[in-house]
Coordinates of all heavy atoms in Angstrom, one line a residue:
M118 N 19.2 -2.1 -7.9 CA 18.4 -1.8 -9.1 C 16.9 -2.0 -8.8 O 16.5 -2.9 -8.0 CB 18.8 -2.8 -10.2 CG 18.3 -2.4 -11.6 SD 18.9 -3.6 -12.8 CE 17.5 -4.6 -13.0
S119 N 16.0 -1.2 -9.4 CA 14.6 -1.4 -9.1 C 13.9 -1.9 -10.4 O 14.4 -1.7 -11.5 CB 14.0 -0.1 -8.6 OG 14.2 0.9 -9.6
V120 N 12.7 -2.5 -10.1 CA 11.9 -3.0 -11.2 C 10.5 -2.4 -11.1 O 10.0 -2.1 -10.0 CB 11.8 -4.5 -11.1 CG1 10.9 -5.1 -12.2 CG2 13.1 -5.2 -11.0
V121 N 10.0 -2.0 -12.3 CA 8.6 -1.5 -12.3 C 7.6 -2.5 -12.8 O 7.8 -3.2 -13.8 CB 8.6 -0.2 -13.2 CG1 7.1 0.3 -13.4 CG2 9.5 0.9 -12.7
Y122 N 6.6 -2.7 -12.0 CA 5.5 -3.7 -12.3 C 4.3 -2.9 -12.7 O 3.8 -2.0 -12.0 CB 5.2 -4.6 -11.1 CG 6.4 -5.5 -10.7 CD1 7.3 -5.2 -9.8 CD2 6.4 -6.8 -11.3 CE1 8.4 -6.0 -9.5 CE2 7.5 -7.7 -11.0 CZ 8.4 -7.3 -10.1 OH 9.5 -8.1 -9.8
N123 N 3.7 -3.4 -13.8 CA 2.4 -2.9 -14.2 C 1.3 -3.7 -13.5 O 1.2 -4.9 -13.8 CB 2.2 -2.9 -15.7 CG 1.0 -2.3 -16.2 OD1 0.0 -2.2 -15.5 ND2 1.0 -1.7 -17.4
L124 N 0.5 -3.1 -12.6 CA -0.5 -3.8 -11.9 C -1.9 -3.8 -12.5 O -2.9 -4.2 -12.0 CB -0.6 -3.2 -10.4 CG 0.7 -3.2 -9.6 CD1 0.4 -2.6 -8.3 CD2 1.3 -4.6 -9.5
G125 N -2.0 -3.2 -13.7 CA -3.3 -3.1 -14.4 C -4.0 -1.8 -14.1 O -3.4 -0.9 -13.4
L126 N -5.2 -1.7 -14.5 CA -5.9 -0.4 -14.4 C -6.1 0.0 -12.9 O -6.5 -0.8 -12.1 CB -7.3 -0.6 -15.0 CG -7.3 -0.6 -16.6 CD1 -8.7 -0.8 -17.1 CD2 -6.7 0.7 -17.1
A127 N -5.8 1.2 -12.7 CA -5.9 1.8 -11.3 C -7.3 1.7 -10.7 O -7.5 1.6 -9.5 CB -5.4 3.2 -11.3
T128 N -8.3 1.7 -11.6 CA -9.7 1.6 -11.2 C -10.0 0.3 -10.5 O -11.1 0.2 -9.9 CB -10.7 1.9 -12.3 OG1 -10.3 1.0 -13.4 CG2 -10.6 3.3 -12.8
R129 N -9.1 -0.7 -10.5 CA -9.3 -1.9 -9.8 C -9.3 -1.6 -8.3 O -9.9 -2.4 -7.5 CB -8.1 -2.9 -10.1 CG -8.0 -3.3 -11.5 CD -6.7 -4.1 -11.7 NE -6.8 -5.4 -11.0 CZ -5.8 -6.2 -10.9 NH1 -4.6 -5.9 -11.4 NH2 -5.9 -7.4 -10.2
V130 N -8.7 -0.6 -7.9 CA -8.6 -0.3 -6.4 C -9.7 0.7 -6.1 O -9.7 1.9 -6.6 CB -7.3 0.3 -6.0 CG1 -7.2 0.5 -4.5 CG2 -6.1 -0.6 -6.5
P131 N -10.8 0.3 -5.4 CA -11.9 1.3 -5.1 C -11.4 2.5 -4.3 O -10.4 2.4 -3.5 CB -12.8 0.4 -4.3 CG -12.4 -1.0 -4.5 CD -10.9 -1.0 -4.8
L132 N -12.1 3.6 -4.5 CA -11.8 4.8 -3.8 C -11.9 4.5 -2.3 O -12.8 3.9 -1.8 CB -12.8 5.9 -4.1 CG -12.5 6.8 -5.3 CD1 -13.7 7.7 -5.5 CD2 -11.2 7.6 -5.1
G133 N -10.9 5.0 -1.6 CA -10.9 4.9 -0.1 C -10.6 3.5 0.4 O -10.8 3.2 1.6
E134 N -10.0 2.6 -0.5 CA -9.7 1.3 0.0 C -8.4 0.8 -0.5 O -7.6 1.6 -1.2 CB -10.8 0.3 -0.6 CG -12.2 0.6 -0.1 CD -13.2 -0.4 -0.5 OE1 -12.8 -1.6 -0.9 OE2 -14.4 -0.1 -0.4
G135 N -8.0 -0.4 -0.1 CA -6.7 -0.9 -0.5 C -6.9 -2.3 -1.1 O -8.0 -2.9 -1.1
M136 N -5.9 -2.7 -1.8 CA -5.9 -4.0 -2.5 C -4.5 -4.6 -2.4 O -3.5 -3.9 -2.5 CB -6.3 -3.8 -3.9 CG -6.5 -5.1 -4.7 SD -7.1 -4.8 -6.4 CE -8.8 -4.5 -6.0
T137 N -4.4 -5.9 -2.2 CA -3.1 -6.6 -2.1 C -2.7 -7.2 -3.4 O -3.5 -7.8 -4.2 CB -3.2 -7.7 -1.1 OG1 -3.6 -7.2 0.2 CG2 -1.9 -8.4 -0.9
F138 N -1.5 -7.0 -3.8 CA -0.9 -7.5 -5.0 C 0.3 -8.3 -4.6 O 1.0 -8.0 -3.7 CB -0.5 -6.4 -6.0 CG -1.6 -5.6 -6.5 CD1 -2.1 -4.5 -5.8 CD2 -2.2 -5.9 -7.7 CE1 -3.2 -3.7 -6.3 CE2 -3.2 -5.1 -8.2 CZ -3.7 -4.1 -7.5
I139 N 0.6 -9.4 -5.4 CA 1.9 -10.1 -5.3 C 2.8 -9.7 -6.4 O 2.4 -9.9 -7.6 CB 1.6 -11.6 -5.3 CG1 0.7 -12.0 -4.1 CG2 2.9 -12.4 -5.2 CD1 0.3 -13.4 -4.0
V140 N 3.9 -9.1 -6.1 CA 4.8 -8.7 -7.2 C 6.2 -9.1 -6.8 O 6.7 -8.8 -5.7 CB 4.8 -7.1 -7.3 CG1 3.5 -6.7 -8.0 CG2 4.9 -6.4 -6.0
G141 N 6.8 -9.8 -7.7 CA 8.2 -10.2 -7.5 C 8.4 -11.0 -6.3 O 9.5 -10.8 -5.6
G142 N 7.5 -11.8 -5.9 CA 7.6 -12.7 -4.8 C 7.3 -12.0 -3.4 O 7.5 -12.6 -2.4
R143 N 6.8 -10.8 -3.5 CA 6.4 -10.1 -2.2 C 5.0 -9.6 -2.3 O 4.5 -9.4 -3.4 CB 7.4 -9.0 -1.9 CG 7.2 -7.7 -2.7 CD 8.3 -6.8 -2.5 NE 9.4 -7.2 -3.4 CZ 10.6 -6.7 -3.4 NH1 11.0 -5.8 -2.5 NH2 11.5 -7.1 -4.3
T144 N 4.4 -9.4 -1.2 CA 3.0 -8.8 -1.2 C 3.1 -7.4 -0.9 O 3.8 -6.9 0.0 CB 2.1 -9.5 -0.2 OG1 2.7 -9.5 1.1 CG2 1.8 -11.0 -0.6
V145 N 2.3 -6.6 -1.6 CA 2.3 -5.2 -1.5 C 0.8 -4.7 -1.4 O 0.0 -5.3 -2.2 CB 3.0 -4.5 -2.7 CG1 2.8 -3.0 -2.7 CG2 4.5 -4.9 -2.7
A146 N 0.5 -3.8 -0.6 CA -0.8 -3.2 -0.5 C -0.8 -1.9 -1.2 O 0.0 -1.0 -0.9 CB -1.2 -3.0 1.0
V147 N -1.8 -1.7 -2.1 CA -1.9 -0.4 -2.8 C -3.2 0.2 -2.4 O -4.3 -0.4 -2.3 CB -1.9 -0.7 -4.4 CG1 -2.2 0.7 -5.1 CG2 -0.6 -1.3 -4.8
F148 N -3.1 1.5 -2.0 CA -4.2 2.2 -1.5 C -4.6 3.4 -2.4 O -3.7 4.0 -3.0 CB -3.9 2.8 -0.1 CG -3.6 1.7 0.9 CD1 -2.3 1.4 1.1 CD2 -4.6 1.1 1.6 CE1 -2.0 0.4 2.1 CE2 -4.3 0.1 2.5 CZ -3.0 -0.3 2.8
R149 N -5.9 3.6 -2.5 CA -6.4 4.8 -3.3 C -7.2 5.6 -2.3 O -8.3 5.2 -1.8 CB -7.3 4.3 -4.4 CG -7.8 5.3 -5.3 CD -8.7 4.6 -6.3 NE -9.2 5.5 -7.4 CZ -10.1 5.1 -8.2 NH1 -10.7 3.9 -8.2 NH2 -10.6 6.0 -9.1
T150 N -6.7 6.8 -2.0 CA -7.4 7.7 -1.1 C -8.7 8.2 -1.7 O -8.8 8.1 -2.9 CB -6.5 8.9 -0.7 OG1 -6.4 9.7 -1.8 CG2 -5.2 8.4 -0.1
R151 N -9.6 8.7 -0.9 CA -10.8 9.3 -1.4 C -10.5 10.5 -2.3 O -11.3 10.8 -3.2 CB -11.8 9.7 -0.3 CG -12.3 8.4 0.4 CD -13.6 8.6 1.0 NE -14.2 7.4 1.5 CZ -14.8 6.5 0.7 NH1 -15.1 6.9 -0.5 NH2 -15.3 5.4 1.2
G152 N -9.3 11.1 -2.1 CA -8.9 12.2 -3.0 C -8.3 11.7 -4.3 O -8.0 12.5 -5.2
G153 N -8.2 10.3 -4.5 CA -7.7 9.8 -5.7 C -6.2 9.6 -5.8 O -5.7 9.3 -6.9
T154 N -5.5 9.7 -4.7 CA -4.1 9.5 -4.7 C -3.8 8.1 -4.4 O -4.4 7.5 -3.5 CB -3.4 10.5 -3.7 OG1 -3.8 11.8 -4.0 CG2 -1.9 10.4 -3.9
F155 N -2.7 7.5 -5.0 CA -2.3 6.1 -4.8 C -1.1 6.1 -3.9 O -0.1 6.9 -4.1 CB -2.1 5.4 -6.1 CG -3.4 5.2 -6.9 CD1 -3.8 6.2 -7.8 CD2 -4.1 4.0 -6.7 CE1 -5.0 6.0 -8.5 CE2 -5.3 3.8 -7.4 CZ -5.7 4.8 -8.3
F156 N -1.1 5.1 -3.0 CA 0.1 4.8 -2.2 C 0.3 3.3 -2.1 O -0.7 2.6 -2.2 CB 0.0 5.4 -0.8 CG -0.1 6.9 -0.8 CD1 -1.3 7.5 -0.5 CD2 1.0 7.7 -1.0 CE1 -1.5 8.9 -0.5 CE2 0.9 9.1 -1.0 CZ -0.4 9.7 -0.8
A157 N 1.5 2.9 -1.9 CA 1.8 1.5 -1.7 C 2.7 1.2 -0.5 O 3.6 2.0 -0.3 CB 2.4 0.9 -3.0
T158 N 2.3 0.2 0.2 CA 3.1 -0.2 1.4 C 3.3 -1.7 1.5 O 2.6 -2.4 0.7 CB 2.4 0.3 2.7 OG1 1.3 -0.5 2.9 CG2 2.0 1.8 2.7
Q159 N 4.0 -2.1 2.4 CA 4.1 -3.6 2.7 C 2.7 -4.0 3.0 O 1.8 -3.2 3.5 CB 5.0 -3.9 3.8 CG 4.5 -3.3 5.2 CD 5.6 -3.5 6.3 OE1 6.7 -2.9 6.2 NE2 5.2 -4.2 7.3
A160 N 2.3 -5.3 2.7 CA 1.0 -5.7 2.9 C 0.6 -6.2 4.3 O -0.6 -6.2 4.7 CB 0.7 -6.9 1.9
E161 N 1.6 -6.5 5.1 CA 1.3 -7.0 6.4 C 1.7 -6.0 7.5 O 2.8 -5.4 7.4 CB 2.1 -8.3 6.7 CG 1.5 -9.5 5.8 CD 2.2 -10.8 6.0 OE1 3.4 -10.8 6.6 OE2 1.7 -11.8 5.7
C162 N 0.9 -5.9 8.5 CA 1.1 -5.0 9.6 C 2.4 -5.5 10.4 O 2.5 -6.7 10.6 CB -0.1 -5.0 10.5 SG 0.1 -3.9 12.0
P163 N 3.2 -4.6 10.8 CA 4.4 -5.0 11.6 C 4.1 -5.5 13.0 O 4.9 -6.1 13.6 CB 5.3 -3.8 11.6 CG 4.4 -2.6 11.4 CD 3.3 -3.2 10.5
H164 N 2.8 -5.3 13.4 CA 2.5 -5.7 14.8 C 2.3 -7.2 14.8 O 3.1 -7.9 15.3 CB 1.2 -5.0 15.2 CG 0.7 -5.4 16.6 ND1 -0.6 -5.6 16.9 CD2 1.4 -5.6 17.7 CE1 -0.7 -5.9 18.1 NE2 0.5 -5.9 18.7
Q165 N 1.2 -7.7 14.2 CA 0.9 -9.1 14.1 C 0.4 -9.6 12.8 O -0.5 -10.4 12.7 CB 0.0 -9.5 15.2 CG 0.6 -9.5 16.6 CD -0.3 -9.9 17.7 OE1 -1.4 -10.5 17.5 NE2 0.1 -9.7 19.0
R166 N 1.0 -9.0 11.8 CA 0.8 -9.4 10.4 C -0.7 -9.2 9.9 O -1.2 -9.9 9.1 CB 1.2 -10.8 10.1 CG 2.7 -11.0 10.5 CD 3.2 -12.4 10.3 NE 3.1 -12.7 8.8 CZ 3.4 -13.9 8.3 NH1 3.6 -14.9 9.1 NH2 3.3 -14.1 7.0
G167 N -1.4 -8.2 10.4 CA -2.7 -7.9 10.0 C -2.7 -7.5 8.5 O -1.7 -6.9 8.0
P168 N -3.8 -7.9 7.8 CA -3.9 -7.5 6.3 C -4.2 -6.1 6.1 O -5.4 -5.7 6.2 CB -5.0 -8.4 5.8 CG -5.9 -8.6 7.0 CD -5.0 -8.6 8.3
L169 N -3.2 -5.3 5.9 CA -3.4 -3.8 5.9 C -4.3 -3.3 4.8 O -5.0 -2.3 4.9 CB -2.0 -3.1 5.7 CG -1.1 -3.3 7.0 CD1 0.3 -2.7 6.7 CD2 -1.7 -2.6 8.2
A170 N -4.4 -4.1 3.6 CA -5.3 -3.6 2.6 C -6.7 -3.7 3.0 O -7.6 -3.0 2.4 CB -5.1 -4.5 1.3
D171 N -7.0 -4.4 4.1 CA -8.4 -4.5 4.6 C -8.7 -3.4 5.6 O -9.8 -3.4 6.2 CB -8.7 -5.9 5.1 CG -8.6 -7.0 4.1 OD1 -8.8 -6.6 2.9 OD2 -8.4 -8.1 4.4
G172 N -7.7 -2.6 5.9 CA -7.9 -1.6 7.0 C -8.7 -0.4 6.5 O -9.1 -0.3 5.3
L173 N -9.0 0.4 7.5 CA -9.8 1.7 7.1 C -8.8 2.7 6.7 O -7.8 2.9 7.3 CB -10.6 2.1 8.4 CG -11.8 1.3 8.8 CD1 -12.4 1.9 10.1 CD2 -12.9 1.4 7.7
L174 N -9.2 3.5 5.7 CA -8.4 4.5 5.2 C -9.1 5.8 5.2 O -10.2 6.0 4.6 CB -8.0 4.2 3.7 CG -6.9 5.2 3.1 CD1 -5.6 5.1 3.8 CD2 -6.7 4.8 1.6
G175 N -8.6 6.8 6.0 CA -9.2 8.1 6.1 C -8.1 9.1 5.8 O -7.2 9.3 6.5
G176 N -8.2 9.8 4.6 CA -7.1 10.6 4.2 C -5.9 9.8 3.9 O -6.0 8.7 3.3
N177 N -4.8 10.1 4.6 CA -3.6 9.3 4.4 C -3.4 8.4 5.6 O -2.4 7.7 5.7 CB -2.3 10.2 4.4 CG -2.2 11.0 3.1 OD1 -3.0 10.8 2.2 ND2 -1.3 11.9 3.0
V178 N -4.4 8.4 6.5 CA -4.3 7.5 7.7 C -4.9 6.2 7.5 O -6.1 6.1 7.2 CB -4.9 8.3 8.9 CG1 -4.8 7.4 10.2 CG2 -4.2 9.6 9.2
L179 N -4.1 5.2 7.7 CA -4.6 3.8 7.6 C -4.7 3.2 9.0 O -3.8 3.3 9.8 CB -3.5 3.0 6.8 CG -3.8 1.5 6.8 CD1 -5.0 1.1 6.0 CD2 -2.6 0.8 6.1
V180 N -5.8 2.5 9.3 CA -6.0 1.9 10.5 C -6.0 0.3 10.3 O -6.9 -0.2 9.5 CB -7.4 2.3 11.2 CG1 -7.6 1.6 12.5 CG2 -7.5 3.8 11.3
C181 N -5.1 -0.3 10.9 CA -5.0 -1.8 10.8 C -6.3 -2.5 11.2 O -6.8 -2.1 12.3 CB -3.8 -2.3 11.5 SG -3.7 -4.1 11.4
P182 N -6.8 -3.4 10.4 CA -8.1 -4.1 10.8 C -8.0 -5.0 12.0 O -9.0 -5.3 12.6 CB -8.4 -4.9 9.5 CG -7.1 -5.2 8.9 CD -6.3 -4.0 9.2
L183 N -6.8 -5.4 12.4 CA -6.8 -6.3 13.6 C -6.8 -5.6 14.9 O -7.6 -6.0 15.8 CB -5.5 -7.2 13.5 CG -5.5 -8.3 12.4 CD1 -4.5 -9.3 12.7 CD2 -6.9 -8.9 12.3
H184 N -5.9 -4.7 15.2 CA -5.9 -4.1 16.5 C -5.9 -2.5 16.5 O -5.7 -1.9 17.5 CB -4.6 -4.5 17.2 CG -4.4 -6.0 17.2 ND1 -3.5 -6.6 16.4 CD2 -5.0 -7.0 17.9 CE1 -3.6 -7.9 16.6 NE2 -4.5 -8.2 17.5
G185 N -6.1 -2.0 15.3 CA -6.4 -0.5 15.2 C -5.1 0.3 15.2 O -5.3 1.6 15.4
Y186 N -4.0 -0.2 15.1 CA -2.8 0.6 15.0 C -2.8 1.5 13.7 O -3.3 1.0 12.7 CB -1.5 -0.2 15.0 CG -1.1 -0.7 16.3 CD1 -2.0 -0.8 17.4 CD2 0.2 -1.2 16.6 CE1 -1.7 -1.4 18.6 CE2 0.6 -1.7 17.8 CZ -0.4 -1.8 18.8 OH 0.0 -2.3 20.0
K187 N -2.4 2.7 13.8 CA -2.5 3.6 12.7 C -1.1 3.9 12.0 O 0.0 3.9 12.7 CB -3.0 5.0 13.2 CG -4.4 4.9 13.7 CD -4.9 6.3 14.1 CE -6.4 6.1 14.7 NZ -6.8 7.4 15.3
F188 N -1.1 4.1 10.7 CA 0.0 4.4 10.0 C -0.3 5.5 8.9 O -1.4 5.5 8.5 CB 0.5 3.2 9.2 CG 0.9 2.0 10.1 CD1 -0.1 1.1 10.4 CD2 2.1 1.8 10.6 CE1 0.2 0.0 11.2 CE2 2.4 0.7 11.4 CZ 1.4 -0.2 11.7
D189 N 0.7 6.2 8.6 CA 0.6 7.2 7.4 C 0.9 6.4 6.2 O 2.1 6.0 6.0 CB 1.5 8.4 7.7 CG 1.3 9.5 6.6 OD1 1.1 9.1 5.4 OD2 1.4 10.6 6.9
V190 N 0.0 6.2 5.3 CA 0.3 5.5 4.1 C 1.2 6.2 3.1 O 1.8 5.6 2.3 CB -1.0 5.0 3.3 CG1 -1.7 4.0 4.0 CG2 -1.8 6.2 2.9
K191 N 1.3 7.5 3.3 CA 2.2 8.2 2.4 C 3.7 8.0 2.8 O 4.5 7.8 2.0 CB 1.9 9.7 2.4 CG 2.7 10.6 1.5 CD 2.2 12.0 1.5 CE 3.0 12.9 0.6 NZ 2.5 14.3 0.6
T192 N 3.9 8.1 4.1 CA 5.3 8.0 4.6 C 5.6 6.6 5.2 O 6.8 6.3 5.4 CB 5.6 9.1 5.7 OG1 4.7 8.8 6.8 CG2 5.3 10.5 5.1
G193 N 4.6 5.9 5.6 CA 4.8 4.6 6.2 C 4.9 4.8 7.7 O 5.0 3.8 8.5
L194 N 5.0 6.0 8.2 CA 5.3 6.2 9.7 C 4.2 5.7 10.6 O 3.0 5.9 10.3 CB 5.6 7.7 9.9 CG 6.9 8.3 9.3 CD1 6.9 9.8 9.6 CD2 8.1 7.6 9.9
A195 N 4.6 5.1 11.7 CA 3.7 4.7 12.7 C 3.1 5.9 13.4 O 3.8 6.9 13.6 CB 4.4 3.8 13.7
M196 N 1.9 5.8 13.8 CA 1.2 7.0 14.4 C 0.7 6.6 15.8 O -0.3 5.8 15.9 CB 0.0 7.5 13.5 CG 0.5 7.9 12.1 SD -0.9 8.3 11.0 CE -1.3 9.9 11.7
G197 N 1.4 7.1 16.8 CA 0.9 6.9 18.2 C 1.2 5.5 18.7 O 0.7 5.1 19.8
H198 N 2.2 4.8 18.1 CA 2.6 3.5 18.7 C 4.0 3.3 18.3 O 4.6 4.0 17.4 CB 1.7 2.4 18.3 CG 1.6 2.2 16.8 ND1 2.5 1.4 16.1 CD2 0.8 2.8 15.8 CE1 2.3 1.5 14.8 NE2 1.2 2.3 14.6
A199 N 4.7 2.3 18.9 CA 6.1 2.1 18.7 C 6.3 0.8 17.9 O 7.3 0.1 18.1 CB 6.8 2.1 20.0
C200 N 5.4 0.4 17.1 CA 5.4 -0.9 16.5 C 6.3 -0.9 15.2 O 6.5 -1.9 14.6 CB 4.0 -1.3 16.1 SG 3.9 -3.1 16.1
G201 N 6.8 0.2 14.8 CA 7.6 0.3 13.6 C 6.8 0.8 12.4 O 5.6 0.8 12.4
S202 N 7.6 1.3 11.5 CA 7.0 2.0 10.3 C 6.8 0.9 9.2 O 7.4 -0.2 9.2 CB 7.9 3.1 9.8 OG 8.0 4.1 10.8
L203 N 6.0 1.3 8.2 CA 5.7 0.5 7.0 C 6.8 0.8 6.0 O 7.1 1.9 5.7 CB 4.4 0.7 6.5 CG 3.2 0.5 7.4 CD1 1.9 0.9 6.7 CD2 3.1 -0.9 8.0
K204 N 7.2 -0.3 5.2 CA 7.9 0.0 4.0 C 7.0 0.5 3.0 O 5.9 0.1 2.8 CB 8.6 -1.3 3.6 CG 9.3 -1.2 2.2 CD 10.4 -2.1 2.1 CE 11.2 -1.8 0.8 NZ 11.7 -0.4 0.8
T205 N 7.4 1.6 2.3 CA 6.6 2.1 1.2 C 7.2 1.9 -0.1 O 8.5 1.7 -0.2 CB 6.4 3.6 1.5 OG1 7.6 4.3 1.5 CG2 5.6 3.9 2.8
Y206 N 6.4 2.0 -1.2 CA 6.9 1.8 -2.5 C 6.4 2.9 -3.4 O 5.2 3.3 -3.3 CB 6.4 0.4 -3.1 CG 6.9 -0.7 -2.3 CD1 6.0 -1.2 -1.3 CD2 8.1 -1.4 -2.5 CE1 6.4 -2.3 -0.5 CE2 8.5 -2.5 -1.8 CZ 7.6 -3.0 -0.8 OH 8.0 -4.0 0.0
P207 N 7.2 3.4 -4.3 CA 6.7 4.4 -5.3 C 5.7 3.8 -6.2 O 5.9 2.7 -6.7 CB 8.0 4.9 -6.0 CG 9.1 4.4 -5.2 CD 8.7 3.2 -4.5
V208 N 4.6 4.5 -6.4 CA 3.6 4.1 -7.3 C 3.1 5.3 -8.1 O 2.9 6.3 -7.6 CB 2.4 3.3 -6.6 CG1 1.7 4.2 -5.6 CG2 1.4 2.7 -7.6
E209 N 2.9 5.1 -9.4 CA 2.4 6.2 -10.2 C 1.5 5.6 -11.3 O 1.4 4.4 -11.5 CB 3.5 7.0 -10.8 CG 4.5 6.2 -11.6 CD 5.7 7.1 -12.1 OE1 6.2 7.9 -11.3 OE2 6.1 7.0 -13.3
L210 N 0.8 6.5 -12.0 CA -0.1 6.1 -13.1 C 0.5 6.3 -14.4 O 1.2 7.3 -14.7 CB -1.4 7.0 -13.0 CG -2.3 6.8 -11.9 CD1 -3.5 7.7 -12.0 CD2 -2.8 5.3 -11.9
S211 N 0.3 5.3 -15.3 CA 0.7 5.4 -16.7 C -0.2 6.3 -17.4 O -1.3 6.7 -16.9 CB 0.8 4.0 -17.3 OG -0.5 3.6 -17.6
D212 N 0.1 6.6 -18.7 CA -0.8 7.5 -19.5 C -2.1 6.8 -19.7 O -3.1 7.4 -20.1 CB -0.1 7.7 -20.9 CG 1.1 8.6 -20.7 OD1 1.3 9.3 -19.7 OD2 2.0 8.6 -21.7
R213 N -2.1 5.5 -19.6 CA -3.3 4.7 -19.9 C -4.1 4.4 -18.6 O -5.0 3.5 -18.6 CB -3.0 3.4 -20.6 CG -2.3 3.7 -21.9 CD -2.2 2.5 -22.9 NE -2.0 1.2 -22.2 CZ -1.5 0.2 -22.9 NH1 -1.2 0.3 -24.1 NH2 -1.3 -1.0 -22.3
G214 N -3.7 5.0 -17.5 CA -4.4 4.8 -16.2 C -4.0 3.5 -15.5 O -4.8 3.0 -14.7
E215 N -2.8 3.0 -15.8 CA -2.4 1.7 -15.1 C -1.5 2.1 -14.0 O -0.7 3.1 -14.0 CB -1.7 0.8 -16.1 CG -2.6 0.4 -17.3 CD -1.8 0.0 -18.5 OE1 -0.7 0.6 -18.8 OE2 -2.2 -1.0 -19.2
L216 N -1.5 1.2 -13.0 CA -0.7 1.4 -11.8 C 0.7 0.9 -12.1 O 0.9 -0.3 -12.5 CB -1.2 0.7 -10.6 CG -2.5 1.2 -10.0 CD1 -3.1 0.2 -9.0 CD2 -2.1 2.5 -9.2
L217 N 1.7 1.7 -11.9 CA 3.1 1.3 -12.1 C 3.8 1.3 -10.7 O 3.9 2.4 -10.1 CB 3.8 2.2 -13.0 CG 3.2 2.3 -14.4 CD1 3.9 3.3 -15.3 CD2 3.1 1.0 -15.1
L218 N 4.1 0.2 -10.2 CA 4.7 0.0 -8.9 C 6.2 -0.3 -9.0 O 6.6 -1.2 -9.8 CB 4.0 -1.1 -8.2 CG 4.6 -1.4 -6.8 CD1 4.0 -0.4 -5.8 CD2 4.2 -2.8 -6.3
Q219 N 7.0 0.5 -8.3 CA 8.4 0.3 -8.3 C 8.9 -0.4 -7.1 O 8.7 0.1 -5.9 CB 9.1 1.7 -8.4 CG 10.6 1.6 -8.6 CD 11.1 3.0 -8.8 OE1 10.5 3.9 -9.4 NE2 12.3 3.3 -8.1
V220 N 9.6 -1.5 -7.2 CA 10.2 -2.2 -6.1 C 11.7 -2.5 -6.4 O 12.1 -2.5 -7.5 CB 9.5 -3.5 -5.8 CG1 8.0 -3.3 -5.4 CG2 9.6 -4.5 -6.9
E221 N 12.4 -2.6 -5.3 CA 13.8 -3.0 -5.5 C 14.0 -4.4 -5.9 O 13.2 -5.3 -5.4 CB 14.6 -2.8 -4.2 CG 14.5 -1.4 -3.6 CD 13.3 -1.3 -2.7 OE1 12.9 -2.3 -2.1 OE2 12.7 -0.2 -2.7
D222 N 14.9 -4.7 -6.8 CA 15.2 -6.0 -7.2 C 15.8 -6.8 -6.0 O 16.6 -6.3 -5.3 CB 16.2 -6.0 -8.3 CG 16.1 -7.2 -9.2 OD1 15.2 -8.0 -9.0 OD2 16.9 -7.3 -10.2
S223 N 15.3 -8.0 -5.7 CA 15.8 -8.7 -4.5 C 16.6 -9.9 -5.0 O 16.6 -10.3 -6.1 CB 14.7 -9.2 -3.6 OG 13.7 -9.9 -4.4
Ligands
FES1161 S1 -1.8 -6.7 13.5 FE1 -2.0 -4.6 12.9 S2 -2.4 -3.6 14.8 FE2 -2.1 -5.7 15.3

């Protein structure tokens, strides 16, 4: 079963950046591309737990702030390295412009 969390107004996340949220006992990074699309992934890099929300975001490509490993924030797939993919979470906007994040019940 999955649970939907309301993270508040989407404008909290600046364009082209990420923000970390704690939901249901886990940390999730929500990203807003410069094109205005939202994606959500696990908050810690699978390499050495770098804070992914602080990484550089160019289009759908996220660069980890610690060692520069790249990931596709849309699919979570690792790009050019074998460190593993990111867990991704469905995120959408409510009619009132709030972020609705869906996670599996644990
Ligand atoms: S911790 Fe992310 S690339 Fe090393």
